[in-house]
Amino acid sequence: MQQNNKRNFFERFTEIMGWLQIVASPLMLGTVIGFLIYLSYPGGGGLFGVIAITTAGLIIGIIFATRVWKKKGTMHFLSRVSATPELDADEEKGKEKE
């Protein structure tokens, strides 16, 4: 019973970490875009743009990560993204050239 409890805790912990990683991507993208807007329009309007776009990135990230978690799991999603055959083929071609 205790082993199963530890396993559930570990699985839940890794899913939460994966969820945070998925949320971080649109959030960072929104922050960078917002910062570029702020550089173009410094002042109140630019600051409002930063806040609006960063908040939109956060909301989009939360929605996307939650959908992924409910569908198959965040760690499954992240491992699939990391293990694309196209990237593996490119790495093998690079090794052959060396």
Side-chain angles (χ1 to χ4, degrees), residues 1-16:
M1 182 70 173
Q2 190 176 14
Q3 182 70 16
N4 194 21
N5 211 7
K6 287 181 183 179
R7 184 176 183 166
N8 285 338
F9 173 76
F10 180 72
E11 288 176 3
R12 179 69 111 185
F13 179 75
T14 57
E15 288 295 319
I16 290 170

Side-chain angles (χ1 to χ4, degrees), residues 2-37:
Q2 190 176 14
Q3 182 70 16
N4 194 21
N5 211 7
K6 287 181 183 179
R7 184 176 183 166
N8 285 338
F9 173 76
F10 180 72
E11 288 176 3
R12 179 69 111 185
F13 179 75
T14 57
E15 288 295 319
I16 290 170
M17 297 311 294
W19 186 87
L20 289 172
Q21 289 177 356
I22 294 171
V23 169
S25 182
L27 176 62
M28 287 189 309
L29 182 65
T31 302
V32 169
I33 292 171
F35 180 70
L36 293 174
I37 289 174

Side-chain angles (χ1 to χ4, degrees), residues 31-95:
T31 302
V32 169
I33 292 171
F35 180 70
L36 293 174
I37 289 174
Y38 182 74
L39 290 177
S40 299
Y41 303 102
L47 185 60
F48 177 75
V50 170
I51 293 170
I53 292 175
T54 302
T55 303
L58 177 64
I59 292 169
I60 290 169
I62 289 171
I63 291 170
F64 182 63
T66 303
R67 284 186 183 172
V68 167
W69 188 340
K70 288 180 179 180
K71 201 170 195 179
K72 290 213 176 192
T74 58
M75 295 314 295
H76 180 264
F77 175 78
L78 291 172
S79 64
R80 293 283 305 204
V81 170
S82 299
T84 56
E86 294 84 15
L87 295 177
D88 293 339
D90 288 342
E91 285 180 8
E92 289 176 9
K93 287 180 184 177
K95 287 180 183 178

